[in-house]
Amino acid sequence: MGPPGAGKGTQARFIAEHFKIPAISTGDIFRANVSEGTELGIEAKRYMDAGEYVPDEVTNLMVRNRIDDADAVSGFLLDGYPRTLAQVEELDGMIKFTGHRLDAVVCLTVDQDEIVSRLLQRAQVEGRADDTEDVIRRRQQVYLEQTAPLIEVYKARGIVHEIDGLGEVDEVTQRIFTALDVVPES
Ligand code: AMP
């Protein structure tokens, strides 16, 4: 977890690689659907371009289908999900059904100004339609309103690791690995 631009996608890939599990990014799945022009993509795009969340029913169903795939049987990392209280509840139900459990929630903390400048840089490199300044600000606001409060829900379960997301990518990865008790490979 962490606000847009905190580096979730980047770090998710390293964690997933280490644990040999898939990194399931709802944002990436939406973007793939948008570029393929699927019905899901057409619906999701309206929300994404405005910096709003895609409705829970749509997102939940998509995650439910994805974690049913064979590569997720022995575990998975979720990047960008859950983002609402309804998604937290839905995820609890899904993993109860599949027999998984939530081992850890990694929260990347970063400074708001730093984030906006990172996202504006990313906009130049990747050309994402939701990386304009107005949309970036809206996404931060939606995160603060709808997603940040969820950290408390997971804190109450004792599974949250808060990680300083500022610094070099590999420094942040090391902080995460230390928090998750990953033994360095020799
Ligand atoms: P991300 O790449 O994770 O920043 O996601 C890009 C956009 O996809 C978000 O701004 C939302 O519009 C949508 N999105 C991704 N994950 C979710 C989610 N869990 N719930 C609702 N919308 C989502």
Side-chain angles (χ1 to χ4, degrees):
M1 296 179 79
K8 296 189 295 294
T10 305
Q11 297 300 335
R13 282 189 280 277
F14 292 123
I15 301 170
E17 196 177 307
H18 177 84
F19 288 103
K20 301 185 172 55
I21 51 174
I24 300 175
S25 156
T26 43
D28 282 352
I29 304 176
F30 284 134
R31 278 185 289 278
N33 277 276
V34 170
S35 23
E36 287 160 22
T38 67
E39 221 169 286
L40 172 69
I42 292 164
E43 170 154 31
K45 191 176 185 326
R46 286 192 289 143
Y47 299 96
M48 296 169 78
D49 286 354
E52 305 293 337
Y53 286 165
V54 178
D56 287 330
E57 314 81 70
V58 177
T59 311
N60 287 335
L61 182 64
M62 189 177 84
V63 173
R64 182 181 289 275
N65 289 334
R66 178 62 186 90
I67 66 172
D68 265 348
D69 286 350
D71 66 339
V73 168
S74 47
F76 49 84
L77 172 85
L78 293 166
D79 160 20
Y81 182 93
R83 271 171 145 119
T84 65
L85 194 56
Q87 293 179 13
V88 168
E89 287 165 3
E90 192 71 15
L91 177 63
D92 285 338
M94 283 182 219
I95 61 175
K96 198 168 167 197
F97 185 76
T98 57
H100 290 103
R101 70 167 187 268
L102 266 185
D103 293 319
V105 174
V106 175
C107 292
L108 292 177
T109 57
V110 276
D111 174 85
Q112 185 105 6
D113 292 338
E114 168 71 21
I115 280 186
V116 174
S117 84
R118 272 195 202 185
L119 287 176
L120 288 171
Q121 266 178 344
R122 185 172 76 184
Q124 288 182 336
V125 180
E126 293 179 17
R128 273 175 55 164
D130 58 352
D131 273 348
T132 62
E133 187 154 1
D134 284 353
V135 179
I136 287 170
R137 298 219 181 265
R138 178 65 193 147
R139 286 163 62 212
Q140 302 298 334
Q141 194 187 351
V142 172
Y143 174 83
L144 288 177
E145 285 170 10
Q146 299 200 45
T147 306
L150 307 182
I151 297 171
E152 293 306 317
V153 174
Y154 287 127
K155 272 192 184 164
R157 300 187 194 180
I159 53 172
V160 170
H161 300 274
E162 275 182 304
I163 308 289
D164 178 2
L166 281 187
E168 294 299 320
V169 169
D170 46 341
E171 278 170 10
V172 178
T173 310
Q174 279 318 312
R175 287 177 205 143
I176 297 173
F177 281 3
T178 303
L180 297 179
D181 284 331
V182 169
V183 181
E185 284 171 36
S186 52

